Amino acid sequence: MRALVFIGSERVNSYTAALGRAIGDALGSAGMAPETVHAGGPEAADPAGLLDRIARADAVVLVSPVYHGGYSALLKAVLDRLPGDAFADKPVAVAANGSGPRTGNVVCDQLRTVARAMGAWVVPTQTAGCPDDFRTVGGTPVGPGAELAERCELIAGQLLRLGTAFRTPAGV
């Protein structure tokens, strides 16, 4: 099974990107094949190619930094170029990274609303991280702490279960 992880940050070494990698690692450990799309990268510039990647994915993850209480304009620009049903019958997870322990919850709620508007089945668990949730080396995040890793594993498990359910033909 494939999972597409959208990272709404331009910086490859940002905490948001580290959160996306942590979720991707948890997806890999759960048996899924994660693929990452950076909203500011060339892979996100082609809406048709991106739509094809979404269609091939069994699950999607939207990860954003918190900017002034909202999700990133970079991620919004990518999502705005997609058709309104781009996530139809797709399991989607949402995650955000902010400056403090609960600042990402509002952004997760915003992304949850957007994903549902695009036809997604949003999994119950969301992850709102902050710098304290990561192990760092020289100020650069190198991996999630134990609690964040556990939340990422919960998301991966929910995406796997829902993705499996959507792949199974009705009546089986």
Side-chain angles (χ1 to χ4, degrees), residues 29-89:
S29 294
M32 297 184 83
E35 181 182 348
T36 301
V37 173
H38 285 271
E43 65 271 18
D46 174 21
L50 192 53
L51 195 55
D52 181 58
R53 290 169 86 171
I54 293 167
R56 287 184 281 125
D58 298 294
V60 174
V61 181
L62 303 175
V63 186
S64 179
V66 176
Y67 290 136
H68 305 295
Y71 67 101
S72 78
L74 194 59
L75 182 57
K76 181 172 181 5
V78 170
L79 296 174
D80 283 351
R81 288 193 302 266
L82 297 173
D85 64 349
F87 299 142
D89 292 331

Side-chain angles (χ1 to χ4, degrees), residues 66-118:
V66 176
Y67 290 136
H68 305 295
Y71 67 101
S72 78
L74 194 59
L75 182 57
K76 181 172 181 5
V78 170
L79 296 174
D80 283 351
R81 288 193 302 266
L82 297 173
D85 64 349
F87 299 142
D89 292 331
K90 243 354 133 193
V92 172
V94 296
N97 192 80
S99 59
R102 286 171 290 283
T103 59
N105 287 325
V106 170
V107 169
C108 286
D109 290 342
Q110 293 167 354
L111 291 173
R112 183 177 294 280
T113 299
V114 170
R116 280 195 314 255
M118 295 176 76

Side-chain angles (χ1 to χ4, degrees), residues 1 58-59 87-92 119-123 158-170:
M1 293 183 64
D58 298 294
F87 299 142
D89 292 331
K90 243 354 133 193
V92 172
W121 290 76
V122 184
V123 300
Q158 290 172 4
L159 285 173
L160 179 62
R161 285 190 297 281
L162 195 52
T164 301
F166 278 110
R167 291 181 95 198
T168 304

